[in-house]
Coordinates of all heavy atoms in Angstrom, one line a residue:
M1 N -43.9 20.0 -0.5 CA -43.0 18.8 -0.7 C -42.0 19.2 -1.8 O -42.4 19.6 -2.9 CB -43.9 17.6 -1.1 CG -43.1 16.4 -1.3 SD -44.3 15.1 -1.3 CE -43.3 13.9 -2.1
T2 N -40.7 19.0 -1.6 CA -39.7 19.3 -2.5 C -39.2 18.0 -3.2 O -39.1 17.0 -2.5 CB -38.5 19.9 -1.8 OG1 -38.5 19.7 -0.5 CG2 -38.4 21.4 -2.1
T3 N -38.9 18.1 -4.4 CA -38.3 16.9 -5.1 C -36.9 17.3 -5.5 O -36.6 18.4 -5.8 CB -39.1 16.6 -6.4 OG1 -39.1 17.8 -7.3 CG2 -40.6 16.3 -6.1
T4 N -36.1 16.3 -5.4 CA -34.7 16.5 -5.7 C -34.4 15.9 -7.1 O -34.8 14.7 -7.4 CB -33.7 15.8 -4.7 OG1 -34.1 14.5 -4.6 CG2 -33.9 16.5 -3.3
D5 N -33.7 16.6 -7.9 CA -33.4 16.2 -9.3 C -32.0 15.5 -9.2 O -31.0 16.1 -8.9 CB -33.4 17.3 -10.2 CG -33.2 16.9 -11.7 OD1 -33.3 15.7 -11.9 OD2 -32.9 17.7 -12.5
T6 N -32.0 14.2 -9.5 CA -30.7 13.5 -9.4 C -30.2 13.1 -10.8 O -29.6 12.1 -11.0 CB -30.9 12.2 -8.6 OG1 -31.9 11.4 -9.2 CG2 -31.2 12.5 -7.2
S7 N -30.6 13.9 -11.8 CA -30.1 13.7 -13.2 C -28.6 13.9 -13.2 O -28.0 14.7 -12.4 CB -30.8 14.6 -14.1 OG -30.4 16.0 -13.9
P8 N -27.9 13.3 -14.1 CA -26.4 13.4 -14.1 C -25.9 14.8 -14.3 O -24.8 15.1 -13.8 CB -26.0 12.5 -15.3 CG -27.1 11.6 -15.5 CD -28.4 12.3 -15.1
S9 N -26.6 15.7 -14.9 CA -26.1 17.0 -15.1 C -26.2 17.8 -13.8 O -25.5 18.8 -13.7 CB -26.9 17.7 -16.2 OG -28.3 17.8 -15.8
K10 N -27.0 17.5 -12.9 CA -27.2 18.2 -11.6 C -26.2 17.8 -10.5 O -26.0 18.5 -9.6 CB -28.6 18.1 -11.1 CG -29.7 18.7 -12.0 CD -29.6 20.2 -12.0 CE -30.7 20.8 -12.9 NZ -30.6 22.2 -13.0
R11 N -25.7 16.5 -10.6 CA -24.8 16.0 -9.6 C -23.4 16.4 -9.9 O -23.0 16.7 -11.0 CB -24.9 14.5 -9.5 CG -26.3 14.1 -9.1 CD -26.5 12.6 -9.1 NE -25.5 12.0 -8.3 CZ -25.1 10.7 -8.4 NH1 -25.7 10.0 -9.3 NH2 -24.2 10.2 -7.6
G12 N -22.6 16.5 -8.9 CA -21.2 16.9 -9.0 C -20.4 15.8 -9.7 O -20.8 14.6 -9.7
F13 N -19.2 16.2 -10.1 CA -18.3 15.3 -10.8 C -17.9 14.1 -9.9 O -17.9 13.0 -10.3 CB -17.1 16.0 -11.3 CG -16.0 15.2 -11.9 CD1 -16.2 14.6 -13.1 CD2 -14.8 14.9 -11.2 CE1 -15.2 13.7 -13.7 CE2 -13.9 14.0 -11.7 CZ -14.1 13.5 -12.9
W14 N -17.4 14.4 -8.7 CA -17.0 13.4 -7.8 C -18.1 12.5 -7.4 O -17.8 11.3 -7.2 CB -16.2 14.0 -6.6 CG -15.0 14.7 -7.0 CD1 -14.7 16.0 -7.0 CD2 -13.8 14.1 -7.5 NE1 -13.5 16.3 -7.4 CE2 -12.9 15.1 -7.8 CE3 -13.4 12.8 -7.8 CZ2 -11.6 14.9 -8.3 CZ3 -12.2 12.5 -8.3 CH2 -11.3 13.6 -8.6
A15 N -19.3 13.0 -7.2 CA -20.4 12.1 -6.9 C -20.7 11.1 -8.0 O -21.0 9.9 -7.8 CB -21.7 12.9 -6.6
R16 N -20.6 11.6 -9.3 CA -20.8 10.7 -10.4 C -19.6 9.6 -10.5 O -19.9 8.5 -10.8 CB -20.8 11.4 -11.7 CG -22.2 12.2 -11.8 CD -22.3 12.9 -13.1 NE -21.4 14.1 -13.1 CZ -20.9 14.7 -14.1 NH1 -21.2 14.3 -15.3 NH2 -20.1 15.7 -14.0
V17 N -18.4 10.0 -10.2 CA -17.3 9.1 -10.2 C -17.5 8.0 -9.1 O -17.3 6.8 -9.4 CB -15.9 9.8 -10.0 CG1 -14.8 8.8 -9.7 CG2 -15.6 10.7 -11.2
V18 N -17.8 8.4 -7.9 CA -18.1 7.5 -6.8 C -19.2 6.5 -7.2 O -19.1 5.3 -7.0 CB -18.3 8.2 -5.5 CG1 -18.8 7.3 -4.4 CG2 -17.1 8.9 -5.0
D19 N -20.3 7.1 -7.8 CA -21.4 6.3 -8.1 C -21.0 5.2 -9.2 O -21.5 4.1 -9.2 CB -22.5 7.1 -8.7 CG -23.8 6.4 -8.9 OD1 -24.2 5.5 -8.0 OD2 -24.5 6.6 -10.0
L20 N -20.1 5.6 -10.1 CA -19.7 4.7 -11.2 C -18.9 3.5 -10.5 O -19.2 2.4 -10.9 CB -18.7 5.4 -12.1 CG -18.1 4.6 -13.2 CD1 -19.0 4.3 -14.3 CD2 -16.8 5.3 -13.7
Y21 N -18.0 3.8 -9.6 CA -17.3 2.7 -9.0 C -18.2 1.8 -8.1 O -18.0 0.6 -8.1 CB -16.1 3.2 -8.2 CG -14.9 3.6 -9.1 CD1 -14.7 4.9 -9.5 CD2 -14.1 2.6 -9.6 CE1 -13.6 5.2 -10.4 CE2 -13.0 2.9 -10.4 CZ -12.8 4.2 -10.8 OH -11.8 4.4 -11.7
V22 N -19.0 2.5 -7.3 CA -19.9 1.7 -6.4 C -20.8 0.8 -7.3 O -21.0 -0.4 -6.9 CB -20.8 2.7 -5.5 CG1 -21.9 1.9 -4.8 CG2 -19.9 3.3 -4.5
D23 N -21.4 1.3 -8.3 CA -22.2 0.5 -9.2 C -21.4 -0.6 -9.8 O -21.9 -1.8 -10.0 CB -22.9 1.4 -10.2 CG -23.9 0.6 -11.0 OD1 -24.8 0.0 -10.4 OD2 -23.9 0.7 -12.3
G24 N -20.2 -0.3 -10.2 CA -19.4 -1.4 -10.9 C -19.0 -2.5 -9.9 O -19.1 -3.7 -10.3
F25 N -18.7 -2.1 -8.7 CA -18.3 -3.2 -7.7 C -19.6 -4.0 -7.2 O -19.5 -5.1 -6.9 CB -17.6 -2.6 -6.5 CG -16.2 -2.3 -6.7 CD1 -15.7 -1.0 -6.8 CD2 -15.3 -3.4 -6.8 CE1 -14.3 -0.8 -7.0 CE2 -13.9 -3.2 -7.0 CZ -13.5 -1.9 -7.1
R26 N -20.7 -3.3 -7.3 CA -21.9 -4.0 -6.8 C -22.3 -5.1 -7.8 O -22.8 -6.1 -7.4 CB -23.1 -3.0 -6.7 CG -24.3 -3.6 -6.2 CD -25.4 -2.5 -6.1 NE -25.0 -1.4 -5.3 CZ -25.2 -0.1 -5.6 NH1 -25.8 0.2 -6.8 NH2 -24.8 0.9 -4.8
H27 N -22.0 -4.9 -9.1 CA -22.5 -5.9 -10.1 C -21.4 -6.8 -10.6 O -21.7 -7.7 -11.4 CB -23.1 -5.1 -11.3 CG -24.4 -4.4 -11.0 ND1 -24.4 -3.2 -10.4 CD2 -25.6 -4.8 -11.2 CE1 -25.7 -2.8 -10.3 NE2 -26.4 -3.8 -10.7
M28 N -20.2 -6.7 -10.1 CA -19.2 -7.6 -10.6 C -19.2 -9.0 -9.8 O -19.6 -9.0 -8.7 CB -17.8 -7.0 -10.5 CG -17.1 -7.0 -9.2 SD -15.4 -6.5 -9.2 CE -15.4 -4.9 -9.8
R29 N -18.9 -10.0 -10.5 CA -18.9 -11.4 -9.9 C -17.5 -11.9 -9.8 O -17.0 -12.1 -8.7 CB -19.7 -12.3 -10.8 CG -21.2 -12.0 -10.9 CD -22.0 -12.7 -9.9 NE -23.4 -12.6 -10.2 CZ -24.2 -11.6 -9.7 NH1 -23.7 -10.7 -8.9 NH2 -25.4 -11.6 -9.9
L30 N -16.8 -12.0 -10.9 CA -15.5 -12.5 -10.9 C -14.5 -11.5 -10.3 O -13.5 -11.9 -9.7 CB -15.0 -12.9 -12.4 CG -13.6 -13.4 -12.6 CD1 -13.4 -14.7 -11.9 CD2 -13.3 -13.4 -14.0
G31 N -14.7 -10.3 -10.5 CA -13.9 -9.2 -10.0 C -13.7 -9.3 -8.5 O -12.6 -9.0 -7.9
K32 N -14.8 -9.6 -7.8 CA -14.7 -9.6 -6.3 C -13.8 -10.7 -5.9 O -13.0 -10.6 -4.9 CB -16.1 -9.8 -5.7 CG -17.0 -8.6 -5.8 CD -18.4 -8.9 -5.2 CE -19.3 -7.8 -5.4 NZ -20.6 -8.0 -4.8
T33 N -13.9 -11.9 -6.6 CA -13.0 -13.0 -6.2 C -11.5 -12.6 -6.5 O -10.6 -12.9 -5.7 CB -13.4 -14.2 -7.0 OG1 -14.7 -14.5 -6.8 CG2 -12.5 -15.4 -6.7
L34 N -11.3 -11.9 -7.7 CA -9.9 -11.5 -8.0 C -9.4 -10.5 -7.0 O -8.2 -10.6 -6.6 CB -9.9 -11.0 -9.4 CG -10.2 -12.0 -10.5 CD1 -10.2 -11.3 -11.9 CD2 -9.2 -13.1 -10.5
W35 N -10.2 -9.5 -6.6 CA -9.8 -8.6 -5.6 C -9.4 -9.2 -4.3 O -8.5 -8.9 -3.6 CB -10.8 -7.5 -5.4 CG -10.6 -6.4 -6.4 CD1 -11.5 -6.1 -7.5 CD2 -9.6 -5.4 -6.5 NE1 -11.0 -5.0 -8.2 CE2 -9.8 -4.6 -7.6 CE3 -8.5 -5.2 -5.7 CZ2 -9.0 -3.5 -7.9 CZ3 -7.6 -4.1 -6.1 CH2 -7.9 -3.3 -7.2
A36 N -10.2 -10.2 -3.9 CA -9.9 -11.0 -2.7 C -8.6 -11.7 -2.8 O -7.8 -11.7 -1.8 CB -11.1 -11.9 -2.4
I37 N -8.3 -12.3 -3.9 CA -7.0 -13.0 -4.1 C -5.9 -12.0 -4.0 O -4.9 -12.2 -3.4 CB -7.0 -13.8 -5.4 CG1 -8.0 -14.9 -5.3 CG2 -5.6 -14.2 -5.8 CD1 -8.2 -15.6 -6.7
I38 N -6.1 -10.8 -4.7 CA -5.0 -9.8 -4.6 C -4.7 -9.3 -3.2 O -3.6 -9.2 -2.8 CB -5.4 -8.6 -5.6 CG1 -5.3 -9.0 -7.0 CG2 -4.5 -7.4 -5.3 CD1 -6.0 -8.0 -8.0
L39 N -5.8 -9.1 -2.4 CA -5.6 -8.6 -1.1 C -5.0 -9.7 -0.2 O -4.1 -9.3 0.6 CB -6.9 -8.2 -0.5 CG -7.5 -6.9 -1.1 CD1 -8.9 -6.6 -0.6 CD2 -6.6 -5.7 -0.9
I40 N -5.3 -10.9 -0.4 CA -4.7 -12.0 0.4 C -3.2 -12.1 0.0 O -2.4 -12.2 0.9 CB -5.4 -13.3 0.1 CG1 -6.8 -13.3 0.8 CG2 -4.6 -14.5 0.7 CD1 -7.7 -14.4 0.4
K41 N -2.9 -12.0 -1.2 CA -1.5 -12.1 -1.7 C -0.7 -10.9 -1.1 O 0.5 -11.1 -0.6 CB -1.4 -12.0 -3.2 CG -1.7 -13.3 -3.8 CD -1.6 -13.2 -5.3 CE -0.9 -14.3 -5.9 NZ -0.7 -14.2 -7.4
L42 N -1.2 -9.7 -1.1 CA -0.6 -8.5 -0.5 C -0.3 -8.7 1.0 O 0.7 -8.4 1.5 CB -1.4 -7.3 -0.8 CG -1.3 -6.7 -2.2 CD1 -2.2 -5.6 -2.4 CD2 0.1 -6.3 -2.5
F43 N -1.3 -9.3 1.7 CA -1.1 -9.5 3.1 C 0.0 -10.5 3.3 O 0.8 -10.3 4.2 CB -2.4 -10.0 3.7 CG -2.3 -10.4 5.1 CD1 -2.2 -9.5 6.1 CD2 -2.2 -11.8 5.5 CE1 -2.1 -9.8 7.5 CE2 -2.1 -12.2 6.8 CZ -2.0 -11.2 7.8
I44 N 0.0 -11.6 2.6 CA 1.1 -12.6 2.7 C 2.4 -11.9 2.4 O 3.4 -12.2 3.2 CB 0.8 -13.8 1.8 CG1 -0.4 -14.6 2.3 CG2 2.1 -14.7 1.7 CD1 -0.8 -15.7 1.4
M45 N 2.5 -11.1 1.4 CA 3.8 -10.6 1.0 C 4.3 -9.6 2.1 O 5.5 -9.6 2.4 CB 3.7 -9.8 -0.3 CG 3.7 -10.7 -1.5 SD 3.9 -9.9 -3.1 CE 3.1 -8.4 -2.9
F46 N 3.5 -8.7 2.6 CA 4.0 -7.7 3.5 C 4.0 -8.1 5.0 O 4.8 -7.7 5.7 CB 3.2 -6.4 3.3 CG 3.5 -5.8 2.0 CD1 2.5 -5.7 1.0 CD2 4.7 -5.2 1.8 CE1 2.8 -5.1 -0.2 CE2 5.0 -4.5 0.6 CZ 4.0 -4.5 -0.4
A47 N 3.1 -8.9 5.4 CA 3.0 -9.3 6.8 C 3.8 -10.6 7.1 O 4.6 -10.6 8.0 CB 1.5 -9.4 7.2
V48 N 3.4 -11.6 6.4 CA 4.0 -12.9 6.8 C 5.5 -13.0 6.4 O 6.3 -13.5 7.2 CB 3.2 -14.1 6.1 CG1 3.8 -15.4 6.3 CG2 1.7 -14.0 6.6
L49 N 5.8 -12.6 5.2 CA 7.2 -12.7 4.7 C 8.1 -11.8 5.5 O 9.3 -12.1 5.8 CB 7.3 -12.4 3.2 CG 6.7 -13.4 2.3 CD1 6.8 -13.0 0.9 CD2 7.3 -14.8 2.5
K50 N 7.6 -10.6 6.0 CA 8.4 -9.7 6.8 C 8.8 -10.4 8.1 O 9.9 -10.3 8.6 CB 7.7 -8.4 7.0 CG 8.6 -7.4 7.8 CD 7.9 -6.2 8.2 CE 8.7 -5.2 8.9 NZ 9.6 -5.7 9.9
L51 N 7.8 -11.1 8.7 CA 8.1 -11.7 10.0 C 9.2 -12.8 9.9 O 10.0 -12.9 10.8 CB 6.8 -12.4 10.5 CG 5.7 -11.4 11.0 CD1 4.5 -12.3 11.3 CD2 6.2 -10.7 12.2
F52 N 9.2 -13.6 8.8 CA 10.1 -14.7 8.8 C 11.4 -14.4 8.0 O 12.4 -15.1 8.3 CB 9.4 -15.9 8.1 CG 8.3 -16.4 8.9 CD1 7.0 -16.3 8.5 CD2 8.5 -17.0 10.2 CE1 5.9 -16.8 9.3 CE2 7.4 -17.5 10.9 CZ 6.1 -17.4 10.5
F53 N 11.4 -13.6 7.1 CA 12.6 -13.4 6.2 C 13.4 -12.1 6.4 O 14.5 -12.0 5.9 CB 12.2 -13.6 4.7 CG 11.8 -15.0 4.4 CD1 10.4 -15.2 4.2 CD2 12.6 -16.0 4.5 CE1 10.0 -16.5 3.9 CE2 12.2 -17.3 4.2 CZ 10.9 -17.5 3.9
F54 N 12.8 -11.1 7.0 CA 13.4 -9.8 7.2 C 13.6 -9.5 8.7 O 12.7 -8.9 9.3 CB 12.7 -8.7 6.4 CG 12.5 -9.0 5.0 CD1 11.3 -9.4 4.5 CD2 13.6 -8.9 4.1 CE1 11.2 -9.7 3.1 CE2 13.5 -9.2 2.8 CZ 12.3 -9.6 2.3
P55 N 14.7 -9.8 9.3 CA 14.8 -9.5 10.7 C 15.1 -8.1 10.9 O 15.4 -7.3 10.0 CB 16.1 -10.3 11.1 CG 16.9 -10.4 9.8 CD 15.8 -10.5 8.7
N56 N 14.9 -7.6 12.2 CA 15.1 -6.2 12.5 C 16.6 -5.9 12.6 O 17.1 -6.0 13.7 CB 14.3 -5.9 13.8 CG 14.2 -4.4 13.9 OD1 14.8 -3.6 13.2 ND2 13.4 -4.0 14.9
F57 N 17.2 -5.6 11.6 CA 18.6 -5.4 11.5 C 19.1 -4.3 12.4 O 20.2 -4.4 13.0 CB 19.1 -5.2 10.0 CG 20.5 -5.1 9.8 CD1 21.3 -6.2 9.9 CD2 21.1 -3.8 9.7 CE1 22.7 -6.1 9.7 CE2 22.5 -3.7 9.5 CZ 23.3 -4.8 9.5
L58 N 18.4 -3.2 12.4 CA 18.9 -2.0 13.1 C 18.9 -2.3 14.6 O 19.8 -1.8 15.3 CB 18.0 -0.8 12.8 CG 18.5 0.1 11.7 CD1 17.5 1.2 11.5 CD2 19.8 0.6 11.9
S59 N 17.9 -2.9 15.1 CA 17.9 -3.1 16.6 C 19.0 -4.1 17.0 O 19.4 -4.0 18.2 CB 16.5 -3.7 17.0 OG 16.3 -5.0 16.5
Q60 N 19.5 -4.9 16.1 CA 20.6 -5.8 16.5 C 22.0 -5.1 16.4 O 22.9 -5.3 17.2 CB 20.6 -7.0 15.6 CG 19.4 -7.9 15.7 CD 19.3 -9.0 14.7 OE1 20.1 -9.0 13.8 NE2 18.3 -9.8 14.8
K61 N 22.1 -4.2 15.4 CA 23.4 -3.6 15.1 C 23.6 -2.2 15.9 O 24.7 -1.8 16.1 CB 23.6 -3.3 13.6 CG 23.6 -4.6 12.8 CD 24.9 -5.3 13.1 CE 25.0 -6.6 12.2 NZ 26.2 -7.3 12.4
A62 N 22.5 -1.5 16.1 CA 22.7 -0.2 16.7 C 23.0 -0.3 18.2 O 22.3 -1.0 19.0 CB 21.4 0.6 16.6
P63 N 24.1 0.4 18.7 CA 24.5 0.3 20.1 C 23.5 1.2 20.9 O 23.3 2.3 20.6 CB 25.9 0.8 20.1 CG 26.0 1.7 18.9 CD 25.1 1.1 17.9
D64 N 23.0 0.6 22.0 CA 22.2 1.3 22.9 C 21.0 2.0 22.3 O 20.5 3.0 22.8 CB 23.0 2.3 23.7 CG 24.1 1.7 24.5 OD1 24.0 0.5 24.9 OD2 25.2 2.3 24.6
G65 N 20.4 1.4 21.3 CA 19.2 2.0 20.6 C 19.4 3.2 19.9 O 18.5 3.9 19.5
D66 N 20.7 3.6 19.6 CA 21.0 4.8 18.8 C 20.9 4.5 17.3 O 21.9 4.4 16.6 CB 22.3 5.4 19.2 CG 22.6 6.7 18.5 OD1 21.7 7.4 18.2 OD2 23.8 7.0 18.3
K67 N 19.7 4.3 16.8 CA 19.5 3.9 15.4 C 19.9 5.0 14.5 O 20.6 4.8 13.4 CB 18.1 3.5 15.2 CG 17.7 2.3 15.9 CD 16.2 1.9 15.7 CE 15.8 0.7 16.5 NZ 14.5 0.3 16.3
A68 N 19.6 6.2 14.8 CA 19.9 7.4 13.9 C 21.4 7.5 13.8 O 22.0 7.8 12.7 CB 19.3 8.6 14.4
G69 N 22.1 7.4 14.9 CA 23.6 7.5 14.9 C 24.2 6.4 14.1 O 25.2 6.7 13.4
Y70 N 23.7 5.2 14.2 CA 24.3 4.1 13.5 C 24.1 4.3 12.0 O 25.1 4.1 11.2 CB 23.6 2.8 13.9 CG 24.1 1.6 13.2 CD1 25.4 1.0 13.4 CD2 23.3 1.0 12.2 CE1 25.8 -0.1 12.7 CE2 23.8 -0.1 11.4 CZ 25.0 -0.6 11.7 OH 25.5 -1.7 11.0
V71 N 22.9 4.7 11.6 CA 22.7 4.9 10.2 C 23.5 6.0 9.6 O 24.1 5.9 8.6 CB 21.2 5.2 9.9 CG1 20.9 5.6 8.5 CG2 20.3 4.0 10.2
S72 N 23.7 7.1 10.3 CA 24.5 8.2 9.8 C 25.9 7.9 9.8 O 26.6 8.2 8.8 CB 24.3 9.5 10.7 OG 24.7 9.3 12.0
S73 N 26.4 7.1 10.8 CA 27.9 6.7 10.7 C 28.1 5.7 9.6 O 29.2 5.8 8.9 CB 28.3 6.1 12.0 OG 27.6 4.9 12.3
E74 N 27.2 4.9 9.3 CA 27.3 3.9 8.2 C 27.3 4.7 6.8 O 28.1 4.4 5.9 CB 26.2 2.9 8.2 CG 26.4 1.8 9.2 CD 27.6 0.9 9.0 OE1 27.8 0.5 7.8 OE2 28.4 0.7 9.9
L75 N 26.4 5.6 6.7 CA 26.3 6.4 5.4 C 27.6 7.2 5.2 O 28.1 7.3 4.1 CB 25.1 7.3 5.4 CG 23.8 6.6 5.3 CD1 22.6 7.6 5.4 CD2 23.7 5.9 3.9
V76 N 28.1 7.9 6.3 CA 29.3 8.7 6.1 C 30.5 7.8 5.9 O 31.3 8.1 5.0 CB 29.5 9.6 7.4 CG1 30.9 10.2 7.4 CG2 28.4 10.6 7.5
G77 N 30.5 6.7 6.6 CA 31.7 5.7 6.4 C 31.7 5.2 4.9 O 32.7 5.1 4.3
R78 N 30.5 4.9 4.4 CA 30.5 4.3 3.0 C 30.7 5.4 2.0 O 31.2 5.2 0.9 CB 29.2 3.7 2.8 CG 29.0 2.4 3.6 CD 27.7 1.7 3.3 NE 27.5 0.6 4.2 CZ 26.5 -0.2 4.1 NH1 25.6 -0.1 3.2 NH2 26.4 -1.2 5.0
G79 N 30.3 6.6 2.3 CA 30.5 7.7 1.4 C 32.0 8.2 1.3 O 32.4 8.7 0.3
T80 N 32.8 8.0 2.3 CA 34.2 8.4 2.3 C 35.1 7.3 1.8 O 36.3 7.6 1.6 CB 34.6 8.9 3.7 OG1 34.4 7.8 4.6 CG2 33.8 10.1 4.1
Q81 N 34.7 6.1 1.6 CA 35.5 5.1 1.1 C 35.9 5.3 -0.4 O 35.1 5.8 -1.2 CB 34.8 3.7 1.2 CG 34.7 3.2 2.6 CD 33.9 1.9 2.6 OE1 33.4 1.4 1.6 NE2 33.9 1.3 3.8
Q82 N 37.1 5.0 -0.7 CA 37.6 5.2 -2.1 C 37.2 4.0 -2.9 O 37.4 2.8 -2.4 CB 39.1 5.4 -2.1 CG 39.6 6.6 -1.4 CD 39.1 7.9 -2.1 OE1 39.0 7.9 -3.3 NE2 38.8 8.9 -1.3
P83 N 36.7 4.2 -4.1 CA 36.4 3.0 -4.9 C 37.7 2.3 -5.3 O 38.7 2.8 -5.6 CB 35.7 3.6 -6.1 CG 36.1 5.0 -6.2 CD 36.4 5.4 -4.7
T84 N 37.6 1.0 -5.4 CA 38.7 0.1 -5.8 C 38.7 0.0 -7.3 O 37.7 -0.2 -8.0 CB 38.6 -1.3 -5.2 OG1 37.4 -1.9 -5.6 CG2 38.7 -1.2 -3.7
P85 N 39.9 0.2 -7.9 CA 40.0 0.2 -9.4 C 39.9 -1.2 -10.0 O 40.1 -2.2 -9.4 CB 41.3 0.9 -9.8 CG 42.1 0.9 -8.5 CD 41.1 0.7 -7.4

């Protein structure tokens, strides 16, 4: 029968780092609630607000679906304009 030594000096660095975070998340109470609030806010910011406030501008402006051509012509056109004094 073999025994495995799990003392901190025998385990790898990354295994100890992962164990530190797993143990920390396992024992936190308020932190879990705060992380849930953060994730819900991120979802609202990126998913919901994009749907309602940021329309797909390229699909409306690009002729015949040539998005790359539209972007390159806009960049070249804006780059060659002379600044107004």
Side-chain angles (χ1 to χ4, degrees):
M1 182 168 158
T2 20
T3 59
T4 56
D5 186 14
T6 58
S7 65
S9 62
K10 297 289 183 182
R11 295 177 56 204
F13 173 75
W14 294 111
R16 288 183 286 158
V17 169
V18 168
D19 187 45
L20 175 77
Y21 280 99
V22 168
D23 188 47
F25 278 111
R26 185 180 303 133
H27 289 85
M28 80 169 62
R29 298 267 192 267
L30 177 65
K32 288 181 185 178
T33 305
L34 293 176
W35 274 108
I37 291 171
I38 290 170
L39 292 175
I40 290 169
K41 282 178 138 181
L42 285 173
F43 175 76
I44 290 171
M45 283 189 331
F46 289 110
V48 175
L49 291 178
K50 184 186 181 320
L51 289 174
F52 295 112
F53 295 109
F54 301 108
N56 195 351
F57 182 77
L58 266 180
S59 65
Q60 295 171 358
K61 295 289 184 179
D64 300 327
D66 185 26
K67 294 178 182 179
Y70 176 75
V71 170
S72 65
S73 67
E74 285 293 313
L75 288 175
V76 169
R78 291 180 186 186
T80 58
Q81 289 178 352
Q82 297 295 326
T84 57

